[in-house]
Amino acid sequence: RDLHLSIRRQRQMCIRDRSNMLPFRFVERMPSYDAAEAFCVRVDPKIETTKDLMKSLYFLLWFPKYFRCNWDMLAAGLRDLAWVPCPKIVLVHQRLPNIRREDLQTYLQVLRDCALGWQGDHRHDLEVVFRINDCAPIEALLTPEQAPDAQGA
């Protein structure tokens, strides 16, 4: 029981300390949304390649035909979203996509930058949801590594 409480406390600290730095929502249970109020898409938890992730997002988010499966186009699409009728757009991740580490890092950076870009904009609100267990790995991927101190070398 103490171990369970300790893990729960760590998760709560993760949310409290890190959610201020990341524009993501970390949850224990996957949320549900009213379809009249939010355009909610659930990213397939079985995705294992970047190509499959891009293709899935293309269909889930109704990207225009000119969309090409690359990071620049994903970022451009997420910064536009004019074709989505609801002002609130939610991307729910039951788990992190099982793609190459470098690609996952780029994907998270695109999501972070686009979510931050929509903050304060009345046209859309991009909410990105992850499980609470993914908070620490996401933070690790998005936190730049500190360069070694030149004087200490």
Side-chain angles (χ1 to χ4, degrees):
R1 181 163 164 80
D2 290 338
L3 178 61
H4 179 70
L5 288 175
S6 175
I7 291 171
R8 175 172 248 149
R9 232 179 255 124
Q10 287 176 350
R11 289 178 180 166
Q12 289 171 344
M13 286 175 49
C14 178
I15 289 176
R16 186 174 53 250
D17 295 342
R18 297 176 181 146
S19 64
N20 292 333
M21 298 185 305
L22 298 173
F24 303 143
R25 181 172 169 211
F26 296 96
V27 298
E28 288 192 29
R29 294 191 181 126
M30 291 291 102
S32 60
Y33 294 86
D34 183 344
E37 296 177 10
F39 183 80
C40 181
V41 299
R42 297 182 184 280
V43 178
D44 186 348
K46 296 176 185 172
I47 287 177
E48 296 200 2
T49 68
T50 302
K51 182 179 178 182
D52 288 343
L53 174 64
M54 293 286 187
K55 192 185 304 184
S56 176
L57 292 170
Y58 168 79
F59 288 109
L60 289 170
L61 294 168
W62 305 348
F63 281 133
K65 289 183 180 184
Y66 60 81
F67 178 81
R68 297 293 172 254
C69 294
N70 63 60
W71 298 119
D72 290 336
M73 288 297 291
L74 177 61
L78 289 172
R79 286 187 180 112
D80 185 354
L81 299 170
W83 54 88
V84 178
C86 290
K88 184 174 186 80
I89 296 134
V90 184
L91 276 94
V92 178
H93 298 79
Q94 192 171 354
R95 73 179 199 98
L96 288 174
N98 189 23
I99 58 178
R100 291 179 339 134
R101 186 185 197 310
E102 297 82 17
D103 288 343
L104 180 58
Q105 184 176 31
T106 302
Y107 176 59
L108 294 170
Q109 289 169 342
V110 168
L111 292 177
R112 178 198 59 204
D113 294 348
C114 292
L116 287 170
W118 281 113
Q119 287 181 352
D121 191 304
H122 67 280
R123 293 172 296 160
H124 284 296
D125 175 29
L126 178 62
E127 181 175 307
V128 183
V129 180
F130 293 99
R131 294 202 49 102
I132 195 166
N133 296 349
D134 293 326
C135 182
I138 288 171
E139 183 188 47
L141 285 165
L142 292 178
T143 303
E145 293 185 28
Q146 299 295 322
D149 185 6
Q151 292 178 357

